Amino acid sequence: MTCSSLVLAQPSSDAQTLAETLNALPQACITSTTHRLSEQSIQQLQILYQTVNYVPMWQDAAQRQQLLELINDTQYDGLKPQMYQLQHLAALQQPASEQQHICDELLVSHGYLQVLTHLRDGVLDSQQVEPYWLEAAAMQAPITSIIEVAAVGLNNLPQVFADVRPQHSAYQKLREILKSSYLLAQADWGEVAVQGKSLRVGMLDPRVPDLRQRLQLAGYIKDSPENALTPVENVTGDIVAVDSLLYTDELSAAVKAFQQDHYLEDDGIVGPATLREMNISPEQRMLQVRANLERLRWLDQLLEPTMLVVDIAGARLLYFRDGDIVWRTRTQVGTVKRQTPLLKSRITHLTINPTWTVPPTILREDKLPAIRRDLGYLARSNMSVLDYQGNVLDPSSINWHAPSGIMLRQGPGPSNALGLVAIRFANPFSVYLHDTPSQHLFGRATRTVSSGCVRVEEAQKLVDQLLFDASEQELERIALIKASGKTRNVNLPKPIPVLLAYWTVEVDIDNRLRFRSDSYGHDQKIIRALQAVQR
């Protein structure tokens, strides 16, 4: 069976022959196709052409041009248009044998299916590159087959491309800003040397010209000759121009704006963290944007209209109700060594006035050294020593240099590591959201300070949001439990989905492109995987 008979004939009753023909497709086409289609791709083409009764789909020149423009537009989705059989789309406009013409038709259809799949589901398998732990009860209904979407979309190509993209604003805004972003235009902006003291206003430093150029190229100060010299009044009252090596108030203001866009301490001081972010090239930033667009396509499958989202890289929490953000706050998340895990689950209950059983890693690495220095640390911290059956032990009877069969438990109260409330959801990592006595840490720009759990600023306000549907009687009961100081679990009126997610690029309310440090190194895994398949 030739490619021609595959498309123009009625559906074959010989499925094996059909599969063999499609499997041999790249060899049958005298083109630049360099790899065999996967078995899944062949099956998708079989089903797609069965769906449209084997009628050729790309005979109309206007429709081919529309498809070409839509595929090229996916560069703003972080995709590589050349992946989607553009050479075969162009070939359909040229004279060719019937077999070659039909082969080009089929490969264009393959590109069409592939680009729709990548726009909706991502280029990569998320669970292979950036896996999330997913609670079975938190999973959503299966999505529509991409073949069904593609078949219907033939009647309105612009609409199907728009529909398969993630609809949430984070993705849409990031995609739109790429159309005018300096990231697509800049070749490079050089580096600012990292050697030397942190720059403060009034200092003279040979790195200042490079710093000024870097800020100009990124649009933080106007590119004008006057910026190279700073007029000041000398001791005699004359206006003079000082050396361009001076770190001025103007440069400091531009640095502060840069720091705000990169989630750094906006103090105007050019230190190691600021220099590290400044020296990331436009090419690297573009790779970071592509990685985050891919990540946002994955996350779109996990989002629900009403849910709680922990933004790990941004150390913040967003509470959505019916698709709108109704409350947000700052958080403290896991350190690089003790990372907050990626997961989706459901918040089922609260622990009011919680106790805290010290996890083994924290016991070994943090608590034992403190106890060995001073046994009184236990009493000051309101901690008891227990065996694995829950029996209280005498601390002085323990060999703290080689303890075994023990655990530490901190009693409830304002000084408890979990504060006055813990917010619980199923997961295999023993993590949860909770209050904290370490309120001062919320003032930091970088808040990767916990041991993996998520500390929530104004945690009681989050509890109020979670209890939005609770009755007055239930709210009064919870208030009494809180006042009693006793430890009690309280079920939510209904479970609420919770997503602990990670992304490092976003567009803020002022339409500014903002970057976070990839503190956990997750971006690089996605970048490497995308580069491997988008060559």
Side-chain angles (χ1 to χ4, degrees):
M1 181 182 287
T2 66
C3 289
S4 175
S5 62
L6 167 65
V7 175
L8 299 179
Q10 291 298 311
S12 169
S13 60
D14 188 347
Q16 182 63 34
T17 303
L18 181 61
E20 290 173 355
T21 303
L22 276 169
N23 194 43
L25 180 60
Q27 287 70 39
C29 298
I30 308 171
T31 66
S32 60
T33 300
T34 59
H35 63 278
R36 295 170 65 89
L37 298 185
S38 69
E39 183 177 345
Q40 181 184 17
S41 297
I42 295 166
Q43 291 174 349
Q44 286 182 328
L45 282 172
Q46 289 172 340
I47 297 170
L48 177 63
Y49 276 95
Q50 288 170 0
T51 302
V52 300
N53 201 28
Y54 291 81
V55 174
M57 295 185 287
W58 309 110
Q59 302 305 299
D60 182 72
Q63 188 179 39
R64 291 197 302 269
Q65 180 61 31
Q66 194 175 55
L67 180 62
L68 174 65
E69 292 172 357
L70 290 166
I71 290 177
N72 280 327
D73 190 55
T74 63
Q75 65 181 297
Y76 303 114
D77 297 275
L79 301 181
K80 298 283 188 178
Q82 61 268 28
M83 291 181 65
Y84 305 111
Q85 310 296 334
L86 295 184
Q87 70 273 31
H88 297 287
L89 188 58
L92 281 175
Q93 304 180 55
Q94 307 300 324
S97 67
E98 183 179 37
Q99 176 172 314
Q100 181 63 50
H101 189 76
I102 298 304
C103 285
D104 288 327
E105 154 86 20
L106 288 171
L107 288 171
V108 168
S109 296
H110 168 62
Y112 172 58
L113 284 171
Q114 192 176 39
V115 72
L116 293 184
T117 300
H118 289 175
L119 279 175
R120 188 186 72 176
D121 305 330
V123 178
L124 306 169
D125 181 348
S126 62
Q127 289 301 92
Q128 294 295 321
V129 182
E130 189 172 270
Y132 276 63
W133 182 85
L134 305 172
E135 184 196 13
M139 297 297 290
Q140 295 177 268
I143 55 179
T144 305
S145 162
I146 200 68
I147 300 170
E148 181 181 338
V149 171
V152 173
L154 290 168
N155 298 319
N156 190 336
L157 291 178
Q159 189 63 52
V160 72
F161 272 72
D163 288 346
V164 295
R165 286 188 178 96
Q167 301 301 306
H168 56 78
S169 62
Y171 186 94
Q172 294 286 341
K173 290 172 70 174
L174 184 54
R175 184 182 186 279
E176 285 303 311
I177 204 169
L178 283 185
K179 295 180 179 180
S180 58
S181 174
Y182 63 87
L183 284 170
L184 295 180
Q186 289 291 337
D188 200 0
W189 43 48
E191 290 191 356
V192 183
V194 298
Q195 293 79 16
K197 296 181 179 179
S198 296
L199 287 174
R200 290 176 167 81
V201 172
M203 290 177 62
L204 292 171
D205 193 287
R207 296 172 293 174
V208 168
D210 290 338
L211 173 66
R212 180 183 293 110
Q213 180 185 47
R214 168 71 175 82
L215 293 168
Q216 286 173 345
L217 289 173
Y220 288 97
I221 55 177
K222 293 182 180 179
D223 187 5
S224 62
E226 291 78 10
N227 285 326
L229 300 175
T230 305
V232 298
E233 183 177 346
N234 65 13
V235 292
T236 63
D238 297 322
I239 301 298
V240 297
V242 299
D243 193 285
S244 62
L245 303 183
L246 179 66
Y247 184 54
T248 64
D249 286 323
E250 177 199 27
L251 286 175
S252 177
V255 167
K256 287 180 181 179
F258 175 90
Q259 290 169 330
Q260 290 167 359
D261 284 351
H262 295 77
Y263 294 87
L264 301 165
E265 296 285 354
D266 56 346
D267 52 14
I269 298 171
V270 184
T274 298
L275 286 172
R276 183 169 56 250
E277 293 297 317
M278 280 192 173
N279 286 334
I280 296 176
S281 69
E283 180 183 8
Q284 289 172 301
R285 286 300 187 199
M286 194 63 233
L287 292 173
Q288 186 180 359
V289 169
R290 287 197 177 105
N292 277 270
L293 283 164
E294 176 75 356
R295 178 182 280 132
L296 290 172
R297 288 189 280 269
W298 302 337
L299 291 178
D300 192 53
Q301 313 292 330
L302 302 177
L303 294 173
E304 299 187 41
T306 297
M307 75 181 314
L308 188 153
V309 177
V310 175
D311 168 11
I312 297 172
R316 62 177 182 170
L317 181 151
L318 308 170
Y319 188 80
F320 292 83
R321 187 179 298 126
D322 298 327
D324 296 321
I325 298 175
V326 295
W327 190 72
R328 68 181 75 202
T329 192
R330 296 179 292 189
T331 64
Q332 299 168 29
V333 296
T335 63
V336 174
K337 185 178 179 181
R338 301 174 183 172
Q339 297 180 7
T340 297
L342 308 177
L343 62 84
K344 183 180 180 184
S345 187
R346 297 176 311 142
I347 298 171
T348 53
H349 65 282
L350 315 171
T351 303
I352 308 297
N353 302 317
T355 61
W356 179 49
T357 301
V358 180
T361 300
I362 299 177
L363 171 60
R364 181 178 62 254
E365 298 181 5
D366 299 341
K367 301 305 177 185
L368 282 181
I371 296 168
R372 287 165 184 161
R373 288 191 299 268
D374 178 10
L375 193 59
Y377 172 83
L378 290 169
R380 292 194 302 274
S381 302
N382 191 25
M383 285 188 176
S384 301
V385 184
L386 309 174
D387 61 22
Y388 289 160
Q389 288 71 46
N391 300 310
V392 178
L393 304 176
D394 181 355
S396 62
S397 68
I398 306 299
N399 178 5
W400 291 106
H401 292 283
S404 63
I406 67 163
M407 54 186 177
L408 299 184
R409 182 168 295 161
Q410 188 178 37
S415 63
N416 184 280
L418 307 187
L420 297 176
V421 64
I423 298 163
R424 311 285 190 175
F425 44 90
N427 69 89
F429 311 103
S430 300
V431 298
Y432 37 84
L433 279 61
H434 64 87
D435 187 15
T436 176
S438 303
Q439 295 292 311
H440 65 285
L441 296 178
F442 289 114
R444 294 184 178 180
T446 301
R447 297 188 293 278
T448 48
V449 295
S450 83
S451 295
C453 289
V454 179
R455 304 170 186 169
V456 180
E457 186 177 31
E458 298 186 299
Q460 186 54 52
K461 291 185 178 179
L462 175 57
V463 170
D464 293 341
Q465 294 292 335
L466 297 175
L467 295 173
F468 179 76
D469 293 326
S471 65
E472 286 296 324
Q473 183 180 7
E474 180 66 3
L475 293 176
E476 290 175 4
R477 186 178 77 86
I478 294 171
L480 290 174
I481 294 172
K482 182 179 177 182
S484 73
K486 295 180 180 179
T487 303
R488 294 288 187 275
N489 288 331
V490 174
N491 292 331
L492 296 187
K494 60 182 178 180
I496 295 176
V498 58
L499 178 67
L500 276 56
Y502 186 95
W503 67 92
T504 63
V505 181
E506 68 178 5
V507 180
D508 69 11
I509 194 171
D510 296 319
N511 212 38
R512 295 179 66 92
L513 190 58
R514 303 188 69 184
F515 295 93
R516 302 183 177 111
S517 174
D518 179 25
S519 56
Y520 286 3
H522 291 339
D523 283 356
Q524 291 307 310
K525 298 175 186 176
I526 299 176
I527 289 170
R528 287 193 296 269
L530 284 175
Q531 288 175 324
V533 300
Q534 291 185 331
R535 289 171 181 165

